[in-house]
């Protein structure tokens, strides 16, 4: 069955409570003080069953001193029932309530001309004419005006029919996934314990759910859920909901707090907003002026900061930032109201666009561009913007879904359409990967220019040289793409620019040094110089030597039965080894085997060099050891 929450608005003593009682049989003035004073002080609730569904009335106080309570009741309503006395017509709280409804995004409603039993036909006609003129400039322009009397019953059937049509034409509130219930009442019931109520703004609540109490941070468990007076397994968004909680006492939660699933609300001190200053405000709103900010069921003091001007003029809508004096739990795209600090009166409101727990650094044109996208952009623009703001890190899609209040399947479909790339548990724009790739190429090119025969850089070394312009996961993804494209080569854990490690990439100085060292080993043939003699404790000469080893020009072996150290390394030029292979094949090819002493005589070298050389030939599959002899595996060279 469809449910619609309707806020009953109007000036004090214009008969809101009497009208609701006449429609539903429920007296929403339940406090003794309300009975004695004849006015509503707290929120009242009643329900009306209609053919098309059920209406949950929220009867809000009409007195100007209780506007905060009125706003908390109007939060989350789908439509309004405006009560205007036929005797008094439009009064100050009539105007303020209609303005608040408009600022909260309400666009549907019915007007009940109340107390018609106390007004003549001429008085009614005059009031209706003035009322239509006023409403024509408000969100209730064109709303039906129904003459009623709670005393005589006049017009009540017509009003019920109009409410039924309103229910029929009002869509269900979309389920955005994660529960959010601003608390407007807290009380205890014998045998049940603590109960809180509110209009469930999003998501659902089920028995057994673990909830967080924001902004306090405490946890509670749902014992039971009621919606519109009936126990339900799961409360649905847009409906009046009562939640019986355990693991929390009466002092642990209050009106103005919010219930939500853990980790789904942000506690913030800075709010980016799109705000309208009412034309009725009468005077500009100055930069850094102190205000009362009301959203959900919360009221908190704060100061407004207009991003590109010194003040906001009446009737103007502008982007700004509000600095709250204490942290509050907020939801983006939530409607809010602002009232002047003193004297207290409603002067404007709008929508929360973004939240920050510390002072944001962006300002000027950049901040206005961001807020314009958040205020008026579709999901595609908002998702791209959030990716941009998260860079160089990937954007956490689940956090995006929760914060921006988009359905998960819609977010993932949009991410695919935009061509976002899954990286490191999140998504990034292709531009971020390209930027990381450019940073990697710049770092690798710089090290090549500094040391043309360097092996390259590790991932961490490239990150260190990027100056914070890259994220590890995004950089790794970019490097894989560059390797696939043949731009970057990888050896072990080092990356270098492809084609930049050979002689064609060397500096003239390095090429001369490379030629010198290679020539020394080539000339020495099978009697190579010692490495300490060649390197001369020079790090650059050592890197040139390592480069020659990596290209295969020099073959580094280790002396037999000695520790594998630099000093015990024996290095031959590859030409000398190839010549030794040919000599052995030519001399012993027919026999197919030779003794170590025979090889020593043929090659004319000592055992110091011969044994490492023969072991290398074994490892290469040219020979195979057989006792004190060796067998030629490959007889032709």
């Amino acid at each position: 069955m469809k449910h619609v929450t309707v806020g009953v608005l109007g000036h004090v003593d214009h008969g809101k409570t009497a009208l609701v009682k006449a429609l539903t049989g429920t007296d929403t003035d339940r406090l003794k003080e309300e009975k004695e004073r004849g006015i509503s002080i707290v929120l009242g609730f009643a329900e009306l069953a209609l053919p098309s569904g059920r209406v949950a009335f929220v009867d809000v106080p009409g007195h100007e001193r209780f506007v905060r309570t009125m706003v908390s009741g109007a939060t989350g309503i789908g439509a309004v029932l405006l009560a205007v006395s036929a005797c008094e017509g439009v009064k100050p709280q009539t105007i303020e309530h209609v303005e608040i409804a408009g600022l909260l995004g309400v666009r549907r409603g019915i007007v009940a001309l109340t107390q018609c039993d106390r007004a003549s036909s001429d008085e009614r006609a005059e009031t209706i004419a003035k009322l239509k003129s006023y409403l024509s400039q408000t969100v209730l322009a064109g709303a039906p005006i129904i003459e009623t009397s709670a005393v005589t019953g006049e017009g009540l059937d017509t009003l019920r029919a109009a409410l039924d049509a309103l229910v029929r034409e009002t869509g269900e509130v979309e389920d955005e996934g994660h529960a959010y219930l601003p608390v407007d009442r807290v009380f205890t019931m014998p045998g049940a314990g603590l109960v809180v109520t509110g209009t469930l703004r999003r998501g659902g609540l089920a028995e057994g759910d673990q909830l967080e109490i924001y902004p306090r941070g405490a946890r509670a468990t749902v014992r039971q859920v009621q919606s519109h007076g009936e126990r339900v397994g799961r409360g649905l968004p847009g409906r009046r909901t009562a939640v019986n909680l355990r693991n929390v006492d009466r002092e642990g939660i209050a009106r103005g707090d919010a219930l939500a699933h853990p980790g789904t609300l942000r506690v913030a001190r800075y709010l980016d907003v799109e705000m309208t200053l009412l034309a009725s405000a009468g005077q500009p709103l100055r930069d850094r002026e102190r205000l009362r900010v009301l959203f959900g069921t919360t009221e908190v003091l704060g100061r407004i900061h207009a991003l590109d001007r010194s003040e906001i003029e009446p009737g103007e809508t502008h982007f700004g930032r509000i600095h709250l004096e204490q942290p509050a739990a907020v939801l983006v795209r939530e409607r809010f109201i602002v009232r002047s600090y003193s004297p207290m009166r409603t002067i404007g409101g709008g929508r929360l666009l973004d939240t920050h727990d510390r002072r944001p650094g962006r300002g000027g044109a950049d901040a206005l561009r961001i807020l314009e996208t958040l205020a008026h952009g579709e999901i595609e623009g908002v998702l791209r913007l959030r990716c941009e703001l998260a860079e160089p890190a990937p954007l956490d899609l689940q956090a995006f879904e929760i914060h921006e209040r988009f359905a998960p399947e819609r977010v993932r479909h949009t991410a695919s359409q935009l061509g976002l790339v899954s990286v490191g548990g999140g998504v990034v724009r292709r531009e971020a990967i390209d930027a990381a790739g450019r940073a990697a190429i710049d770092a690798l090119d710089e090290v090549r220019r500094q040391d043309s025969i360097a092996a390259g850089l590790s991932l961490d070394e490239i990150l260190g040289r990027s100056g914070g312009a890259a994220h590890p996961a995004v950089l790794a993804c970019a490097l894989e793409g560059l390797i696939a494209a043949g731009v970057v080569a990888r050896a072990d854990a080092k990356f270098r620019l492809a084609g930049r490690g050979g002689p064609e990439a060397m500096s003239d100085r390095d090429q001369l040094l490379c030629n010198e060292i290679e020539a020394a080993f080539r000339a020495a043939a099978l009697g190579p110089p010692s490495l300490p003699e060649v390197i001369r404790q020079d790090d650059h000469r050592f890197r040139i030597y390592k480069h020659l080893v990596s290209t295969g020009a020099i073959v580094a072996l280790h002396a037999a039965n000695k520790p594998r150290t630099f000093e015990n390394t024996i290095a031959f030029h590859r030409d000398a080894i190839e010549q030794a292979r040919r000599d052995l094949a030519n001399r012993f090819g027919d026999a197919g085997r030779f003794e170590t002493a025979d090889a020593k005589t043929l090659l004319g070298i000592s055992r110091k060099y011969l044994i490492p050389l023969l072991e290398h030939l074994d490892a290469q599959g040219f020979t195979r050891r057989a006792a004190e002899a060796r067998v030629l595996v490959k007889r032709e060279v």
Side-chain angles (χ1 to χ4, degrees):
M1 179 179 289
K2 185 182 290 187
H3 293 73
V4 176
T5 302
V6 174
V8 186
L9 315 182
H11 192 76
V12 63
D13 287 336
H14 275 207
K16 297 187 304 298
T17 302
L19 180 63
V20 171
K21 184 176 181 180
L23 287 169
T24 67
T26 300
D27 185 354
T28 59
D29 279 349
R30 61 188 189 281
L31 299 183
K32 180 181 178 181
E33 185 181 359
E34 291 179 322
K35 301 291 188 185
E36 292 174 350
R37 297 171 62 180
I39 63 172
S40 296
I41 297 173
V42 298
L43 299 173
F45 306 97
E47 293 183 18
L48 176 64
L50 295 166
S52 297
R54 300 176 72 171
V55 171
F57 290 114
V58 183
D59 183 7
V60 304
H63 199 285
E64 60 88 16
R65 290 203 304 271
F66 305 113
V67 169
R68 174 189 173 183
T69 305
M70 178 267 162
V71 173
S72 71
T75 293
I77 61 176
V80 299
L81 175 58
L82 177 66
V84 180
S85 170
C87 305
E88 295 190 351
V90 176
K91 301 292 283 184
Q93 260 53 66
T94 309
I95 295 172
E96 186 167 25
H97 282 201
V98 171
E99 287 178 334
I100 288 172
L103 291 169
L104 291 176
V106 179
R107 296 293 182 268
R108 303 177 63 81
I110 300 169
V111 181
L113 191 69
T114 59
Q115 302 171 346
C116 284
D117 57 292
R118 294 162 48 185
S120 68
S121 57
D122 289 342
E123 288 174 326
R124 293 190 196 187
E126 181 180 359
T127 300
I128 290 173
K130 291 179 179 178
L131 184 55
K132 285 183 176 179
S133 175
Y134 161 67
L135 291 175
S136 68
Q137 306 301 314
T138 74
V139 295
L140 294 181
I145 300 175
I146 300 171
E147 299 176 51
T148 67
S149 169
V151 175
T152 67
E154 178 187 353
L156 295 185
D157 288 341
T158 304
L159 180 56
R160 289 189 185 95
L163 288 165
D164 187 59
L166 187 68
V167 172
R168 208 166 43 245
E169 296 165 6
T170 301
E172 294 277 17
V173 177
E174 182 181 353
D175 188 344
E176 295 174 339
H178 297 281
Y180 170 54
L181 179 78
V183 175
D184 55 34
R185 288 176 63 200
V186 180
F187 54 92
T188 55
M189 292 186 64
L194 188 70
V195 177
V196 303
T197 68
T199 300
L200 189 56
R201 297 298 309 281
R202 64 178 296 201
L205 285 178
E207 294 179 7
D209 277 2
Q210 294 291 314
L211 300 178
E212 186 167 342
I213 302 169
Y214 289 90
R216 301 171 187 249
R219 299 289 178 92
T221 303
V222 177
R223 174 181 289 153
Q224 187 183 130
V225 182
Q226 286 193 3
S227 183
H228 300 279
E230 297 177 358
R231 183 171 179 175
V232 294
R234 176 180 170 83
L236 299 177
R239 304 185 183 185
R240 288 296 305 173
T241 305
V243 186
N244 182 200
L245 297 173
R246 61 172 180 263
N247 303 330
V248 61
D249 57 25
R250 182 64 182 79
E251 288 69 38
I253 189 169
R255 188 182 77 178
D257 292 339
L259 287 176
H261 290 123
T264 59
L265 284 187
R266 289 187 180 180
V267 177
R269 295 194 64 136
Y270 296 89
L271 312 177
D272 288 336
V273 301
E274 182 182 43
M275 176 180 159
T276 297
L277 185 64
L278 292 171
S280 60
Q283 61 185 21
L285 183 61
R286 299 186 306 276
D287 190 40
R288 305 192 186 283
E289 186 169 334
R290 200 178 193 202
L291 301 168
R292 299 176 186 274
V293 186
L294 294 81
F295 50 85
T297 56
T298 299
E299 178 179 350
V300 61
L301 294 173
R303 294 186 184 274
I304 183 70
H305 172 56
L307 294 182
D308 66 346
R309 61 195 65 191
S310 60
E311 58 186 24
I312 301 174
E313 296 292 334
E316 184 179 55
T317 297
H318 183 63
F319 296 120
R321 181 165 290 146
I322 297 176
H323 178 193
L324 302 179
E325 294 184 10
Q326 64 188 49
V330 296
L331 200 64
V332 297
R333 296 201 300 280
E334 180 81 348
R335 294 278 179 169
F336 69 95
I337 301 296
V338 292
R339 307 193 80 210
S340 54
Y341 178 66
S342 182
M344 288 187 292
R345 61 191 183 94
T346 302
I347 59 173
R351 288 187 302 157
L352 305 175
L353 302 178
D354 204 358
T355 65
H356 312 273
D357 57 1
R358 58 183 62 121
R359 188 183 300 276
R362 294 176 182 267
D366 193 31
L368 292 174
R369 175 186 68 86
I370 291 169
L371 296 185
E372 177 69 33
T373 300
L374 294 177
H376 305 296
E378 298 296 331
I379 184 174
E380 294 83 1
V382 175
L383 182 52
R384 281 190 63 86
L385 174 67
R386 287 298 185 193
C387 282
E388 177 190 339
L389 297 179
E391 290 169 5
L395 175 70
D396 184 329
L397 272 191
Q398 185 177 27
F400 174 82
E401 294 160 6
I402 293 171
H403 183 59
E404 298 295 341
R405 300 166 57 184
F406 291 122
E409 59 277 7
R410 188 180 178 198
V411 171
R412 279 157 176 73
H413 176 70
T414 304
S416 176
Q417 282 190 317
L418 292 175
L420 301 180
V421 182
S422 296
V423 173
V427 295
V428 294
R429 301 182 305 153
R430 174 58 61 181
E431 293 94 317
I433 296 175
D434 293 342
R438 288 193 296 272
I441 290 172
D442 289 345
L444 294 174
D445 188 55
E446 179 185 11
V447 77
R448 180 197 63 79
R449 285 184 280 105
Q450 292 172 347
D451 186 350
S452 62
I453 47 77
L457 296 174
S458 67
L459 181 69
D460 287 343
E461 288 169 333
I462 297 174
L463 282 171
R465 288 172 176 260
S466 72
H471 179 275
V474 178
L475 177 60
C477 179
L479 286 169
E480 290 299 327
L482 292 171
I483 291 170
V487 177
V488 169
R490 175 172 51 201
D492 298 324
K494 295 285 188 178
F495 299 89
R496 63 175 177 82
L497 295 180
R500 303 291 180 87
E504 73 281 0
M506 282 192 179
S507 65
D508 291 343
R509 170 177 170 268
D510 286 348
Q511 188 62 62
L512 287 172
L513 188 56
C514 186
N515 293 342
E516 174 197 325
I517 293 175
E518 186 177 1
F521 282 96
R522 182 185 283 113
L526 295 179
S530 71
L531 286 185
E533 291 175 359
V534 175
I535 302 307
R536 305 173 191 170
Q537 296 184 328
D538 185 320
D539 288 343
H540 194 64
R541 290 179 71 89
F542 180 71
R543 286 198 297 275
I544 294 289
Y545 157 75
K546 293 291 288 183
H547 168 69
L548 289 169
V549 171
S550 69
T551 62
I554 292 175
V555 180
L557 308 176
H558 294 281
N561 302 318
K562 289 189 177 182
R564 298 171 68 88
T565 64
F566 174 72
E567 290 76 9
N568 292 329
T569 298
I570 296 172
F572 297 100
H573 194 278
R574 64 183 166 199
D575 291 351
I577 293 177
E578 288 302 312
Q579 186 59 51
R581 284 163 58 104
R582 287 193 292 271
D583 291 344
L584 290 170
N586 291 336
R587 174 67 178 82
F588 304 114
D590 292 339
R593 59 184 290 126
F594 60 89
E595 302 288 334
T596 301
D598 297 332
K600 180 176 181 294
T601 300
L602 174 65
L603 300 177
I605 56 176
S606 68
R607 289 180 61 87
K608 172 183 177 181
Y609 299 124
L610 178 63
I611 299 304
L613 175 61
L614 292 177
E615 289 176 347
H616 173 68
L617 295 177
D618 292 342
Q620 295 299 307
F622 179 73
T623 57
R624 183 179 73 250
R625 188 168 181 175
E628 293 302 316
R630 275 182 167 76
V631 175
L632 282 170
V633 178
K634 296 180 180 179
R635 302 191 185 192
E636 296 181 3
V637 180

